Amino acid sequence: MKHSKFGITAFVGTGLCLVALTAATIPAAATPDGSAGGIAANSSFGIQNNVLAAGLEQSPVAYGQLPLANPHGGITHYGYNTSTGGPLTQDPKEAFKTEPDKNVYLVFGGVHYLFQGHEGGPQGYVTRINLDEKDLTKRVTLVSDTRSDGGAVPTFDGITWDPFTHQLLLTAEAAAPKGGVFGITLDDNGNSVDGTISPLAALGSGGYEGIQNDAAGNVWLVEDIGGAKASGGKVPNSYVYRFTPAKPGDLSRGTLQALQVNRKDGTAVTASQLSANPADQFETDLHTYGSSFATKWVTVSLGAGNAATAGAATAGATPFKRPENGVFRPGSQFGEFYFTETGDTDKTSTLPGAFGGVFRLSQSSPTAQSGTLSPVFLGDLEHTGLDNIAFAGKDKLLVVEDAGDTLHAQRDALDSGYLFDLGKKTSTGPSPVRWLAEGRDASATYDHNTSPGYNDGDNEITGIHVSDGDTSAAGILGAKTPKMLAGDWRTFWTQQHGDNVTWELHSAASADSHGDGRHDGMNDHE
């Protein structure tokens, strides 16, 4: 059992041994609820501890109330904006929680950093956790909260490192004209070159969440905008994009494309068709194991407000039910792109695809203009709201849920993190093995029941990230085969909402053996 000095608790459960998630000892199948070896999802009632599979431990690397080393205005803490003057937690007028989101782990000059954008509060900002820093007053710094053009800084969700431009690329998950991609140029020490966040207009404006590079310097974007309500659920309304720069390393000009999926008869599946009939047979076929569909990329013309979503619809691209994040499979030479589809996050939805899934786009190369789309895993009530995604090895895929408060109550289960073994071929997709049953901390429980409404309720799993920190092109996610929990490879996830804790995962067998800041004085061990 692991306790922090600040009341942050992570319970390590008994059951499936995951000393190394890349090991070949994972069971061939999970129990019917995906619990695998007795690890079940947490009930949605009251305060719950996080439960990890046996062999895993975690330690907090930052938490919401941690003060920033260089506060600016109301941006004073890792997870709070105090511009309203409210207290930090559990009060009817509590401060805005800023929700540190997805993670990027990078090593600059031998120093180990974790970068994050913040997606809550009055405005977005970007922070950097120095994982080697023992002084908690210096551990987290504000990278930037100012736009280069003087405009309002949107809140941020996705983040990745672009080695070709030497920029952190961040996504603002909002409809045009507020959404889009923004860049922060870093120097060789991991510091912002000019202290500003620059909008990258050529990539369009939309509800982008997932963002990844490929080896050719292209930027892949996964959009998350909920569709309109329809009888039995919601209309598919979000797209998968690829941006090809006109000149490698320069994102100021280029071509934005969106993915188009064809029916078996060769005709395109379009937004107008699915809006008119969200129960279209295509949706059933798409969410059927063994199916596959031809794809091609269509060029998006950006019109008023630089709107990518409207441009994708006009171009005849195919919308999905909230695709949120994507990543390239190691060893595929960037020819296999896996992305999640969150679905409707409502037990009462009866439309096909209501519970989302995981899909694979296969191409001959990352620059190919055509490919094949097929389902990898199809969600159900117990495994849905699939969001963040990361590879732990060549065949080991980590996927976490963001099912939302409504669905938590409907199924009496909080979110979970799953491991899928893609190397085991079955006719019904890989079995989900639960490695994390997320809990609900006291602050999230308070927000769920009492919060004034500008702070979220139940905790959410986000930012699952496996990386060795390589800042070169060779370190792009998907270029190397990860060795999770081994060597230089490190794994992080953020327990968003509530206390807003970012955790690092460790193998229980080696958790105390690292000498590079992996345990940092924030933790006590038993």
Side-chain angles (χ1 to χ4, degrees), residues 52-353:
L52 296 172
L56 286 178
E57 291 186 358
Q58 62 184 10
S59 57
V61 299
Y63 61 97
Q65 296 188 49
L66 201 62
L68 296 181
N70 55 337
H72 181 238
I75 301 175
T76 56
H77 292 75
Y78 175 64
Y80 286 94
N81 182 311
T82 57
S83 58
T84 61
L88 295 187
T89 187
Q90 297 189 19
D91 184 274
K93 296 182 179 180
E94 63 184 358
F96 288 99
K97 290 176 180 175
T98 64
E99 311 296 355
D101 205 318
K102 295 186 180 65
N103 298 296
V104 164
Y105 169 60
L106 298 170
V107 180
F108 287 100
V111 182
H112 305 81
Y113 294 117
L114 197 67
F115 294 86
Q116 294 168 313
H118 292 244
E119 71 160 343
Q123 72 157 89
Y125 58 98
V126 181
T127 53
R128 185 187 70 187
I129 303 168
N130 183 337
L131 298 167
D132 305 331
E133 178 59 64
K134 303 297 190 289
D135 185 341
L136 298 184
T137 65
K138 300 177 181 178
R139 189 175 181 83
V140 184
T141 55
L142 175 65
V143 176
S144 182
D145 65 346
T146 305
R147 272 176 64 152
S148 59
D149 59 3
V153 178
T155 55
F156 296 117
D157 194 316
I159 186 172
T160 196
W161 170 247
D162 186 339
F164 304 103
T165 64
H166 224 257
Q167 288 180 309
L168 292 171
L169 302 182
L170 298 113
T171 55
E173 187 186 349
K178 294 183 178 180
V181 183
F182 296 77
I184 298 178
T185 303
L186 301 182
D187 62 23
D188 290 338
N189 294 314
N191 299 314
S192 173
V193 169
D194 60 10
T196 66
I197 304 167
S198 299
L200 300 173
L203 281 75
S205 179
Y208 300 149
E209 179 172 339
I211 182 167
Q212 293 290 339
N213 280 105
D214 65 30
N218 303 317
V219 179
W220 293 57
L221 298 159
V222 183
E223 185 176 44
D224 174 21
I225 297 180
K229 291 184 178 180
S231 177
K234 295 181 179 179
V235 176
N237 190 49
S238 301
Y239 299 87
V240 176
Y241 302 86
R242 181 179 67 184
F243 177 78
T244 302
K247 179 182 178 182
D250 180 2
L251 299 181
S252 64
R253 295 182 299 110
T255 302
L256 182 67
Q257 296 176 305
L259 189 68
Q260 182 186 81
V261 184
N262 290 337
R263 300 177 188 273
K264 297 302 182 182
D265 63 5
T267 60
V269 181
T270 65
S272 59
Q273 293 170 354
L274 298 184
S275 179
N277 180 18
D280 190 297
Q281 181 62 38
F282 166 75
E283 287 295 317
T284 297
D285 295 341
L286 178 66
H287 296 88
T288 299
Y289 285 115
S291 63
S292 64
F293 302 86
T295 64
K296 70 176 182 179
W297 293 97
V298 294
T299 299
V300 175
S301 296
L302 299 173
N306 225 24
T309 313
T314 300
T318 303
F320 298 88
K321 295 175 81 72
R322 292 185 59 196
E324 295 207 39
N325 287 282
V327 67
F328 290 96
R329 185 176 188 175
S332 71
Q333 287 71 53
F334 295 89
E336 291 186 17
F337 185 70
Y338 287 68
F339 64 91
T340 54
E341 187 185 49
T342 293
D344 290 341
T345 59
D346 190 330
K347 176 181 178 179
T348 65
S349 181
T350 57
L351 289 174

Side-chain angles (χ1 to χ4, degrees), residues 361-385:
L361 174 63
S362 300
Q363 300 185 163
S364 60
S365 74
T367 60
Q369 295 301 310
S370 61
T372 303
L373 181 71
S374 55
V376 175
F377 173 78
L378 298 173
D380 52 32
L381 180 60
E382 289 74 32
H383 318 88
T384 187

